[in-house]
Amino acid sequence: MIEKNISLKSSNTFGFDIQADLYAEIRDINTLLSIWKTNLLVQSSPLILGGGSNILFTDNYHGLVLRNSLLGKSVIQDAGDAVIVELAGGENWHQSVLWAIEQGFGGIENLSLIPGSVGAAPIQNIGAYGVELEQVFHQLHAFDFWEGKMVVLHHSECRFGYRDSLFKREGKGRYFITSVELKLHRNHVPNLSYGDIPKTLETMGIQNPGISDVSRAVIQIRQSKLPDPAVIGNCGSFFKNPVVPVSKYEELKVSYPEIRSFPVNTEVVKIPAAWLIESCNWKGFRRGDAGVHEKQALVLVNYGNAKGNEIRSLAFEIQESVNQRFGIELEMEVNIR
Ligand code: EPU
């Protein structure tokens, strides 16, 4: 059940060649219970890995890694238009999106091609092109390592925020997400609010887009900007887009009229971190095998043999220069271990 000194090179999308002292692949819930009954978790929580697409390892991992390999997709409630689907935590996120589209269920097509697993999706409250997971999230099932039993967590208990949830805060290390229930719709009206989507659909010659058209447009946009982790190691956006008071944004706009923003509410706006980083001349920067992607300044990349601490140092330097120039602190989205 538990293996020793296992390489995690193929289990993290930065492609760092590091090892876990202890490693177990979770294919059923009974295995979780057996692990909980050992004394391995007494001193520290396990590290739960899904697709490994949001983690930066700076060293070997001296603890227990649990890989979520639970599989299964099913419709558990069907009320005509609205359906509830249950997706096991180890399922690949993008394959699950394609499955939903095949069934004719809309709601997650804008989240096509996001790397990672279903179980990781609520942790990050993944989002893209105007949609966040919490908009379709119903509830989830998890093994609670503090209580040693299965629990159900409803939407409000998950405390979703922008790339944030209970699982990154008070619940960190506590839950192993075994499955996620989503509420999808057959008569779904596609969300085309994000500028790049209508533009792309137009170039594709599509007038009344359905969910599969939106998915294809999103795939096209992502492939044109974001590096494929199978080719160049990366974890998608490395930082969050900072949320700043409207007054701060107005102040910056005087010196930088080209600055863009996304509305949040009447008091704060989001500023594209990619723009801040690009303005500090980091876009396309490379030192050794660590770099800033040439088409998306928010994505840090490993061109081959970069070490985790080289990417981390680069991230610190970027944070520092953005802070010095704009007085804005960038918060990392990626987990550092
Ligand atoms: N921009 C630049 N330079 C760049 C790239 C973008 O100045 O190199 C500016 C442009 O003005 C552009 C704006 O930033 O209009 C926004 O860029 P983009 O649409 O690429 O989105 P983003 O804000 O950089 C966020 C998410 C992505 C998600 C996209 C699309 C975060 C941290 N990132 O990126 O999510 O795919 O929107 O919705 O919120 C991820 O979380 O890993 C991720 C990839």
Side-chain angles (χ1 to χ4, degrees):
M1 176 170 74
I2 295 178
E3 298 168 84
K4 284 189 178 158
N5 304 326
I6 294 295
S7 166
L8 297 182
K9 187 168 166 56
S10 61
S11 309
N12 75 99
T13 60
F14 262 124
F16 299 130
D17 194 5
I18 55 104
Q19 283 196 347
D21 286 0
L22 301 169
Y23 177 92
E25 190 110 3
I26 305 300
R27 294 196 178 84
D28 56 70
I29 290 167
N30 284 337
T31 308
L32 283 173
L33 193 60
S34 317
I35 289 175
W36 182 75
K37 285 181 181 158
T38 66
N39 61 1
L40 278 170
L41 304 176
V42 173
Q43 287 187 347
S44 66
S45 321
L47 171 67
I48 300 160
L49 265 188
S53 53
N54 207 45
I55 190 159
L56 180 143
F57 287 105
T58 52
D59 198 354
N60 287 335
Y61 188 73
H62 301 297
L64 172 65
V65 170
L66 300 180
R67 177 73 183 258
N68 192 335
S69 297
L70 298 170
L71 298 179
K73 307 185 201 74
S74 56
V75 178
I76 57 168
Q77 240 184 67
D78 191 341
D81 175 32
V83 291
I84 294 189
V85 300
E86 181 172 10
L87 307 168
E91 287 286 348
N92 172 274
W93 174 260
H94 178 59
Q95 292 307 320
S96 304
V97 171
L98 295 182
W99 173 83
I101 293 170
E102 260 167 42
Q103 317 296 310
F105 305 155
I108 48 177
E109 55 286 348
N110 295 44
L111 306 180
S112 296
L113 214 59
I114 293 186
S117 64
V118 165
I123 299 178
Q124 275 284 88
N125 183 19
I126 56 170
Y129 309 103
V131 174
E132 287 190 337
L133 182 83
E134 63 168 308
Q135 293 164 328
V136 292
F137 180 90
H138 181 54
Q139 60 184 20
L140 62 74
H141 301 261
F143 186 82
D144 180 342
F145 283 119
W146 291 5
E147 302 290 336
K149 62 174 190 190
M150 289 297 298
V151 292
V152 175
L153 295 173
H154 302 281
H155 193 294
S156 61
E157 293 169 290
C158 296
R159 310 255 196 95
F160 292 119
Y162 166 52
R163 297 292 192 280
D164 197 24
S165 72
L166 166 80
F167 311 103
K168 286 178 105 173
R169 298 183 179 273
E170 309 90 294
K172 197 170 178 175
R174 174 168 180 179
Y175 301 103
F176 185 105
I177 298 173
T178 56
S179 69
V180 177
E181 293 183 23
L182 304 178
K183 190 171 193 178
L184 305 176
H185 289 91
R186 287 200 169 86
N187 302 321
H188 173 74
V189 180
N191 179 331
L192 310 177
S193 63
Y194 208 84
D196 284 355
I197 295 189
K199 262 191 278 167
T200 308
L201 287 166
E202 208 182 302
T203 58
M204 290 163 72
I206 290 163
Q207 270 160 9
N208 294 310
I211 53 178
S212 65
D213 300 317
V214 173
S215 170
R216 283 193 298 126
V218 168
I219 290 172
Q220 195 170 311
I221 300 166
R222 291 188 74 98
Q223 285 178 337
S224 72
K225 290 188 182 172
L226 298 168
D228 177 354
V231 182
I232 302 178
N234 76 91
C235 269
S237 300
F238 199 91
F239 302 97
K240 292 185 184 184
N241 286 328
V243 176
V244 304
V246 173
S247 56
K248 170 77 184 172
Y249 166 67
E250 297 295 346
E251 188 190 301
L252 287 172
K253 208 167 165 57
V254 176
S255 314
Y256 306 96
E258 71 284 13
I259 192 170
R260 291 194 51 196
S261 70
F262 301 108
V264 176
N265 58 41
T266 52
E267 277 150 38
V268 292
V269 293
K270 249 186 225 170
I271 296 186
W275 181 85
L276 297 168
I277 297 169
E278 184 173 346
S279 304
C280 293
N281 291 322
W282 286 106
K283 196 168 179 173
F285 175 88
R286 178 168 178 172
R287 184 165 55 217
D289 273 352
V292 179
H293 190 53
E294 55 197 7
K295 293 191 192 144
Q296 226 300 2
L298 199 45
V299 180
L300 302 192
V301 291
N302 172 11
Y303 286 105
N305 294 313
K307 298 271 180 285
N309 51 22
E310 293 174 299
I311 303 264
R312 184 179 54 176
S313 301
L314 180 56
F316 286 153
E317 286 174 56
I318 292 171
Q319 271 178 325
E320 171 97 24
S321 67
V322 167
N323 199 356
Q324 272 187 6
R325 178 144 186 194
F326 298 104
I328 292 177
E329 269 182 46
L330 290 182
E331 192 188 331
M332 293 187 193
E333 192 198 283
V334 169
N335 298 305
I336 299 196
R337 287 293 182 150

